[in-house]
Amino acid sequence: MLQNMAGDARERMLAAAFEIAKRDGVDAVSTRVVCAAAGVQAPSLYHHFGNRAGLIRAVVDVAFEEYFHHKDVVIATDDADSRTRIAAGWDAHVAFALAYPGLYPAMYPTSGPLSGHVERSGALLRAGFDELEQVGALRPGITAALATNALRAALRGVAHAVAANPGSDDNDLTSVIVRDALIKALVADPAGG
Protein backbone atom coordinates (compact mmCIF):
# COMPACT_ATOMS: atom_id res chain seq x y z
CA MET A 1 0.00 0.00 0.00
CA LEU A 2 2.80 2.45 0.87
CA GLN A 3 4.49 1.78 -2.48
CA ASN A 4 1.22 2.55 -4.32
CA MET A 5 0.94 5.83 -2.42
CA ALA A 6 4.53 6.71 -3.39
CA GLY A 7 3.84 5.82 -7.02
CA ASP A 8 0.69 7.89 -6.92
CA ALA A 9 2.65 10.86 -5.54
CA ARG A 10 5.20 10.54 -8.36
CA GLU A 11 2.45 10.34 -10.96
CA ARG A 12 0.61 13.32 -9.44
CA MET A 13 3.78 15.42 -9.48
CA LEU A 14 4.59 14.38 -13.03
CA ALA A 15 1.03 15.10 -14.21
CA ALA A 16 1.02 18.49 -12.47
CA ALA A 17 4.40 19.44 -13.95
CA PHE A 18 3.32 18.27 -17.40
CA GLU A 19 0.16 20.38 -17.33
CA ILE A 20 2.03 23.45 -16.09
CA ALA A 21 4.70 23.04 -18.78
CA LYS A 22 2.11 22.39 -21.47
CA ARG A 23 0.18 25.50 -20.53
CA ASP A 24 2.91 27.93 -19.42
CA GLY A 25 6.25 26.45 -20.51
CA VAL A 26 8.91 24.61 -18.57
CA ASP A 27 10.19 27.81 -16.98
CA ALA A 28 6.91 27.96 -15.04
CA VAL A 29 7.52 24.52 -13.52
CA SER A 30 8.76 25.22 -10.01
CA THR A 31 9.11 22.71 -7.22
CA ARG A 32 6.82 24.78 -5.01
CA VAL A 33 4.01 25.00 -7.58
CA VAL A 34 4.27 21.33 -8.55
CA CYS A 35 4.28 20.13 -4.95
CA ALA A 36 1.27 22.30 -4.11
CA ALA A 37 -0.63 21.04 -7.18
CA ALA A 38 0.21 17.41 -6.37
CA GLY A 39 -0.47 17.76 -2.65
CA VAL A 40 3.00 16.65 -1.55
CA GLN A 41 5.98 18.15 0.25
CA ALA A 42 9.22 19.10 -1.53
CA PRO A 43 11.18 16.09 -0.14
CA SER A 44 8.85 13.84 -2.11
CA LEU A 45 9.78 15.59 -5.35
CA TYR A 46 13.48 15.28 -4.56
CA HIS A 47 13.04 11.61 -3.67
CA HIS A 48 11.37 10.78 -6.98
CA PHE A 49 13.13 13.14 -9.40
CA GLY A 50 16.34 14.23 -7.66
CA ASN A 51 15.77 17.91 -8.40
CA ARG A 52 13.84 20.24 -10.67
CA ALA A 53 16.02 19.31 -13.67
CA GLY A 54 15.16 15.64 -13.14
CA LEU A 55 11.49 16.53 -13.05
CA ILE A 56 11.82 18.51 -16.29
CA ARG A 57 13.58 15.53 -17.94
CA ALA A 58 10.70 13.30 -16.86
CA VAL A 59 8.18 15.80 -18.25
CA VAL A 60 10.06 15.91 -21.58
CA ASP A 61 10.08 12.08 -21.64
CA VAL A 62 6.29 12.06 -21.22
CA ALA A 63 5.95 14.70 -23.93
CA PHE A 64 7.98 12.55 -26.33
CA GLU A 65 5.82 9.52 -25.53
CA GLU A 66 2.81 11.63 -26.53
CA TYR A 67 4.66 12.91 -29.61
CA PHE A 68 5.52 9.44 -30.89
CA HIS A 69 2.02 8.17 -30.16
CA HIS A 70 0.50 11.19 -31.94
CA LYS A 71 2.70 10.67 -34.99
CA ASP A 72 1.93 6.92 -35.09
CA VAL A 73 -1.80 7.66 -35.05
CA VAL A 74 -1.70 10.50 -37.57
CA ILE A 75 0.74 8.94 -40.02
CA ALA A 76 -1.09 5.81 -40.99
CA THR A 77 -0.28 6.43 -44.66
CA ASP A 78 1.97 3.50 -45.51
CA ASP A 79 0.21 3.10 -48.85
CA ALA A 80 0.59 6.77 -49.72
CA ASP A 81 3.27 8.11 -52.03
CA SER A 82 6.50 9.47 -50.54
CA ARG A 83 5.47 13.12 -50.83
CA THR A 84 2.22 12.45 -48.96
CA ARG A 85 4.05 10.55 -46.21
CA ILE A 86 6.61 13.33 -45.76
CA ALA A 87 3.85 15.97 -45.72
CA ALA A 88 1.86 13.95 -43.15
CA GLY A 89 4.93 13.64 -40.91
CA TRP A 90 5.65 17.36 -41.24
CA ASP A 91 2.04 18.29 -40.47
CA ALA A 92 1.94 15.99 -37.44
CA HIS A 93 5.13 17.55 -36.07
CA VAL A 94 3.89 21.11 -36.52
CA ALA A 95 0.47 20.21 -35.06
CA PHE A 96 2.24 18.81 -32.00
CA ALA A 97 4.25 22.03 -31.59
CA LEU A 98 1.01 24.01 -31.78
CA ALA A 99 -0.73 21.72 -29.28
CA TYR A 100 2.23 21.80 -26.85
CA PRO A 101 3.82 25.23 -27.33
CA GLY A 102 5.14 25.33 -23.76
CA LEU A 103 6.84 21.95 -24.06
CA TYR A 104 8.13 21.99 -27.64
CA PRO A 105 11.17 24.22 -26.96
CA ALA A 106 12.27 21.90 -24.12
CA MET A 107 11.85 18.87 -26.36
CA TYR A 108 13.77 20.36 -29.28
CA PRO A 109 16.20 22.87 -27.77
CA THR A 110 17.97 25.18 -30.20
CA SER A 111 21.28 24.73 -28.36
CA GLY A 112 22.89 22.32 -25.97
CA PRO A 113 22.65 18.55 -25.83
CA LEU A 114 19.74 16.78 -27.46
CA SER A 115 17.82 13.99 -25.79
CA GLY A 116 17.87 10.43 -27.05
CA HIS A 117 14.29 10.98 -28.14
CA VAL A 118 15.41 13.61 -30.66
CA GLU A 119 17.94 11.14 -32.01
CA ARG A 120 15.23 8.46 -32.24
CA SER A 121 13.02 10.88 -34.16
CA GLY A 122 15.90 11.71 -36.49
CA ALA A 123 16.70 8.04 -37.03
CA LEU A 124 13.11 7.37 -38.09
CA LEU A 125 13.25 10.27 -40.52
CA ARG A 126 16.60 9.10 -41.89
CA ALA A 127 15.26 5.57 -42.39
CA GLY A 128 12.45 6.98 -44.50
CA PHE A 129 14.87 8.95 -46.65
CA ASP A 130 17.20 5.94 -46.93
CA GLU A 131 14.29 3.99 -48.44
CA LEU A 132 13.56 6.82 -50.88
CA GLU A 133 17.21 7.02 -51.87
CA GLN A 134 17.36 3.26 -52.48
CA VAL A 135 14.38 3.37 -54.86
CA GLY A 136 15.63 6.49 -56.65
CA ALA A 137 12.83 8.72 -55.38
CA LEU A 138 15.07 11.62 -54.34
CA ARG A 139 16.07 14.36 -56.76
CA PRO A 140 19.47 13.99 -58.46
CA GLY A 141 22.28 15.04 -56.13
CA ILE A 142 20.11 14.71 -53.00
CA THR A 143 21.27 12.04 -50.57
CA ALA A 144 19.29 10.63 -47.67
CA ALA A 145 21.67 12.40 -45.26
CA LEU A 146 21.20 15.76 -46.97
CA ALA A 147 17.42 15.33 -47.17
CA THR A 148 17.27 14.41 -43.48
CA ASN A 149 19.36 17.41 -42.42
CA ALA A 150 17.42 19.84 -44.62
CA LEU A 151 14.03 18.60 -43.46
CA ARG A 152 15.02 18.57 -39.78
CA ALA A 153 16.38 22.13 -39.95
CA ALA A 154 13.36 23.53 -41.77
CA LEU A 155 10.84 21.60 -39.71
CA ARG A 156 12.33 22.62 -36.38
CA GLY A 157 12.51 26.23 -37.53
CA VAL A 158 8.84 26.29 -38.50
CA ALA A 159 7.77 24.35 -35.40
CA HIS A 160 9.67 26.70 -33.08
CA ALA A 161 8.11 29.69 -34.85
CA VAL A 162 4.55 28.40 -34.52
CA ALA A 163 5.12 27.28 -30.91
CA ALA A 164 6.36 30.78 -30.07
CA ASN A 165 3.24 32.35 -31.55
CA PRO A 166 0.52 29.67 -31.55
CA GLY A 167 -2.32 32.13 -32.21
CA SER A 168 -0.90 33.53 -35.45
CA ASP A 169 -3.16 33.36 -38.48
CA ASP A 170 -0.10 32.79 -40.68
CA ASN A 171 1.07 29.55 -39.02
CA ASP A 172 -0.74 27.17 -41.36
CA LEU A 173 0.23 29.03 -44.51
CA THR A 174 3.86 29.41 -43.42
CA SER A 175 4.10 25.71 -42.64
CA VAL A 176 2.53 24.64 -45.94
CA ILE A 177 4.74 26.96 -48.02
CA VAL A 178 7.98 25.76 -46.41
CA ARG A 179 6.85 22.11 -46.37
CA ASP A 180 5.85 22.04 -50.03
CA ALA A 181 8.96 23.89 -51.21
CA LEU A 182 11.20 21.52 -49.30
CA ILE A 183 9.44 18.39 -50.54
CA LYS A 184 9.68 19.70 -54.10
CA ALA A 185 13.40 20.35 -53.64
CA LEU A 186 14.12 16.92 -52.15
CA VAL A 187 11.77 14.39 -53.73
CA ALA A 188 11.58 13.60 -57.43
CA ASP A 189 8.29 14.15 -59.17
CA PRO A 190 6.23 10.95 -59.29
CA ALA A 191 6.11 11.14 -63.08
CA GLY A 192 9.90 11.38 -63.20
CA GLY A 193 9.97 15.11 -64.00
Side-chain angles (χ1 to χ4, degrees):
M1 176 75 171
L2 192 57
Q3 187 175 9
N4 286 343
M5 289 175 63
D8 290 344
R10 183 185 192 287
E11 294 307 312
R12 287 194 319 268
M13 287 183 286
L14 189 53
F18 185 85
E19 287 306 313
I20 293 165
K22 180 180 171 184
R23 184 183 63 241
D24 302 323
V26 293
D27 290 341
V29 176
S30 72
T31 56
R32 182 183 53 77
V33 171
V34 169
C35 289
V40 300
Q41 299 297 314
S44 184
L45 185 139
Y46 299 124
H47 169 73
H48 290 288
F49 300 103
N51 56 23
R52 180 184 177 276
L55 176 62
I56 298 300
R57 279 192 301 276
V59 167
V60 168
D61 287 345
V62 170
F64 268 108
E65 288 174 22
E66 296 228 358
Y67 170 78
F68 287 119
H69 175 73
H70 176 74
K71 283 193 81 168
D72 288 345
V73 169
V74 171
I75 307 174
T77 58
D78 287 339
D79 296 335
D81 67 79
S82 55
R83 289 172 174 245
T84 302
R85 285 194 317 270
I86 294 168
W90 176 287
D91 292 345
H93 191 95
V94 171
F96 187 88
L98 280 168
Y100 297 87
L103 280 166
Y104 187 83
M107 295 170 66
Y108 289 92
T110 56
S111 64
L114 299 175
S115 79
H117 298 295
V118 174
E119 297 310 315
R120 175 181 167 205
S121 177
L124 293 170
L125 179 62
R126 174 62 189 262
F129 279 121
D130 282 341
E131 289 176 18
L132 294 178
E133 184 176 37
Q134 289 170 1
V135 298
L138 297 179
R139 289 207 178 269
I142 302 295
T143 64
L146 177 59
T148 300
N149 290 338
L151 192 126
R152 285 178 91 176
L155 180 54
R156 286 187 195 165
V158 169
H160 274 283
V162 301
N165 194 9
S168 174
D169 293 337
D170 293 334
N171 282 340
D172 287 340
L173 186 56
T174 299
S175 180
V176 168
I177 289 170
V178 175
R179 178 198 72 197
D180 291 351
L182 191 64
I183 290 171
K184 183 175 182 177
L186 299 176
V187 181
D189 291 332

